[in-house]
């Protein structure tokens, strides 16, 4: 589907413009959004807007790295946004063609950020303060703002996991922790390339529209730096939680092994005595002795008590 919004010289917003029948040059500027376009609709990129074939090819390829390419009358941008479904994060590509009088967005899957800004522009009676670069800024800003709730949700899950870690087994704790690390890694792989893209935009000498709105795009870059630091910090937290839990689990295992070793050590001589007098050889005088059984019981009890006191004195308990 292609949605076209045009702004007239009087800053009036026109929606639902037909690309095939409308004279686009009559508008002050236009925004064309390609949302999951068909093959026929994709042809408008070349037929109507006359974009470079290489830029169109980048739109059709899946998950290009965030970048910008300079062309004669416009700049082509590849950006990434994140779509959340349950506990899964999916990285999606969102492409822009931006010039002074035109912005074209190309999305393979619906972007809530684009839909939100479309709705905001459509409800404006007067778009005097809007232009293609402002649309570009608002969408990027919305993409970055949507990172924060995702990170805060992961932080809350880590806090809850830390509070419950003593009640969880390794089979329950480690998978949940690794899931959080996986989510953070996915976000980091999206945020860092976007941060580098914004840095390149801010330091480019070819982007007049960006330079004139430097404070806006600089704010987005600052937010991306903050997001990147938050993700890195939380990944370090997950690593510390993992190491602490494994150390605690190892300590508990060692204590259990220590107790089992003590029990085994105490019962070893008792088992030896029981084994010797359980062989039933004929020439064993103690077997016919009246007090032999009682003496064996007292001897085993004494040995066990003596070993217990010795282990306790040595600090094993």
């Amino acid at each position: 589907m292609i949605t076209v919004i045009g702004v007239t010289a009087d800053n009036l917003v026109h929606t639902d413009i037909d690309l095939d029948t409308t004279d686009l040059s009559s508008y002050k500027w236009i925004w064309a959004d390609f949302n999951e376009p068909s093959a026929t609709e994709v042809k408008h990129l070349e037929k109507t807007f006359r974009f470079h074939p290489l830029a169109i090819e980048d739109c059709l390829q899946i998950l290009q790295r965030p970048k910008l390419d300079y062309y004669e009358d416009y700049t082509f941008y590849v950006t990434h946004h994140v779509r959340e479904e349950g506990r899964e994060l999916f990285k999606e590509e969102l492409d822009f063609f931006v010039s002074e009088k035109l912005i074209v967005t190309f999305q393979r899957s619906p972007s809530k950020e684009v839909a939100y800004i479309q709705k905001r522009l459509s409800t404006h009676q007067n778009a005097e303060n809007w232009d293609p670069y402002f649309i570009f800024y608002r969408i990027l800003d919305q993409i970055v703002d949507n990172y924060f709730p995702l990170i805060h949700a992961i932080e809350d899950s880590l806090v809850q996991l830390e509070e419950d870690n003593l009640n969880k087994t390794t089979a329950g704790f480690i998978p949940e922790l690794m899931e959080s690390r996986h989510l953070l890694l996915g976000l980091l792989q999206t945020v860092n390339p976007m941060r580098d893209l914004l840095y390149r935009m801010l330091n480019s000498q070819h982007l007049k529209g960006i330079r004139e709105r430097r404070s806006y795009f600089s704010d987005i870059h600052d937010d991306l730096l903050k997001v990147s630091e938050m993700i890195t910090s939380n990944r370090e937290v997950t690593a510390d939680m993992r190491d602490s839990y494994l150390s605690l689990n190892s300590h508990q295992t060692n204590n259990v092994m220590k107790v089992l070793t003590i029990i085994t050590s105490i019962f070893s001589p008792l088992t030896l005595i029981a084994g010797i007098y359980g062989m039933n050889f004929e020439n064993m005088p103690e077997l016919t002795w009246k007090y032999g059984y009682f003496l064996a019981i007292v001897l085993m009890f004494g040995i066990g008590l003596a070993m217990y006191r010795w282990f306790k004195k040595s600090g094993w308990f």
Side-chain angles (χ1 to χ4, degrees):
M1 181 177 67
I2 303 177
T3 303
V4 182
I5 300 175
V7 177
T8 66
D10 297 329
N11 297 314
L12 299 178
V13 179
H14 291 180
T15 59
D16 299 327
I17 298 173
D18 189 342
L19 282 180
D20 296 316
T21 60
T22 305
D23 180 14
L24 300 181
S25 62
S26 63
Y27 288 95
K28 180 181 178 181
W29 61 271
I30 65 169
W31 175 13
D33 176 49
F34 288 70
N35 186 353
E36 298 181 290
S38 65
T40 302
E41 291 172 334
V42 168
K43 292 181 180 179
H44 280 287
L45 293 175
E46 182 177 5
K47 181 181 69 173
T48 304
F49 298 108
R50 303 187 182 282
F51 293 140
H52 196 282
L54 289 179
I56 298 174
E57 181 181 346
D58 285 340
C59 286
L60 299 178
Q61 292 182 357
I62 299 176
L63 283 182
Q64 291 275 344
R65 183 175 176 84
K67 65 174 184 175
L68 67 88
D69 290 327
Y70 306 106
Y71 293 95
E72 184 176 353
D73 300 322
Y74 60 91
T75 308
F76 174 66
Y77 302 87
V78 176
T79 69
H80 288 168
H81 64 100
V82 174
R83 175 170 54 87
E84 183 182 17
E85 290 185 7
R87 285 285 291 174
E88 290 289 331
L89 297 180
F90 297 92
K91 182 165 58 177
E92 303 287 353
E93 182 177 320
L94 178 59
D95 302 320
F96 296 86
F97 298 86
V98 186
S99 67
E100 291 295 332
K101 296 185 177 182
L102 172 70
I103 178 170
V104 175
T105 51
F106 189 96
Q107 43 185 330
R108 283 181 162 274
S109 59
S111 165
K112 61 182 180 181
E113 293 86 1
V114 172
Y116 175 76
I117 302 303
Q118 274 183 340
K119 184 177 180 181
R120 292 290 303 273
L121 177 60
S122 300
T123 55
H124 271 66
Q125 299 297 323
N126 188 302
E128 181 179 359
N129 297 324
W130 294 66
D131 60 31
Y133 280 98
F134 186 68
I135 296 287
F136 183 39
Y137 155 72
R138 290 296 302 271
I139 295 176
L140 289 181
D141 186 57
Q142 197 66 30
I143 288 174
V144 175
D145 286 346
N146 287 337
Y147 290 143
F148 288 98
L150 298 176
I151 299 174
H152 292 154
I154 295 174
E155 287 179 342
D156 291 341
S157 68
L158 290 177
V159 170
Q160 186 64 39
L161 193 61
E162 178 71 16
E163 292 175 352
D164 296 343
N165 67 346
L166 295 178
N167 301 322
K168 289 183 178 290
T169 62
T170 304
F173 180 84
I174 296 298
E176 290 186 31
L177 188 63
M178 290 299 103
E179 181 183 11
S180 296
R181 283 182 61 83
H182 176 71
L183 294 175
L184 290 168
L185 178 60
L187 279 174
L188 193 65
Q189 291 174 340
T190 302
V191 169
N192 282 353
M194 287 289 290
R195 179 196 63 192
D196 296 339
L197 173 63
L198 264 294
Y199 179 82
R200 185 180 175 189
M201 289 165 54
L202 290 170
N203 290 276
S204 173
Q205 301 302 317
H206 304 283
L207 302 176
K208 179 182 177 182
I210 302 295
R211 292 201 308 273
E212 292 176 350
R213 301 160 181 82
R214 182 178 179 85
S215 59
Y216 290 98
F217 291 93
S218 179
D219 181 67
I220 297 177
H221 183 255
D222 292 341
D223 285 343
L224 285 169
L225 288 175
K226 181 179 179 180
V227 170
S228 180
E229 291 172 357
M230 290 174 66
I231 295 173
T232 302
S233 175
N234 279 292
R235 279 183 58 81
E236 292 175 355
V237 169
T238 59
D240 291 341
M241 289 174 61
R242 178 196 59 196
D243 295 342
S244 298
Y245 184 82
L246 291 177
S247 297
L248 178 61
N249 196 58
S250 176
H251 176 70
Q252 292 174 339
T253 301
N254 289 336
N255 285 338
V256 171
M257 294 302 297
K258 184 194 296 184
V259 172
L260 293 177
T261 301
I262 292 173
I263 293 174
T264 302
S265 300
I266 291 175
F267 276 89
S268 291
L270 309 186
T271 304
L272 176 63
I273 295 173
I276 291 175
Y277 288 104
M279 292 186 291
N280 293 323
F281 288 120
E282 291 185 2
N283 191 19
M284 295 184 69
E286 294 86 350
L287 294 180
T288 58
W289 187 33
K290 180 179 179 179
Y291 300 104
Y293 168 76
F294 301 102
L295 180 61
I297 292 297
V298 171
L299 180 62
M300 288 190 287
F301 179 79
I303 292 175
L305 181 61
M307 294 187 69
Y308 170 80
R309 295 185 63 182
W310 182 74
F311 284 131
K312 188 172 184 179
K313 185 177 180 180
S314 300
W316 283 47
F317 286 105

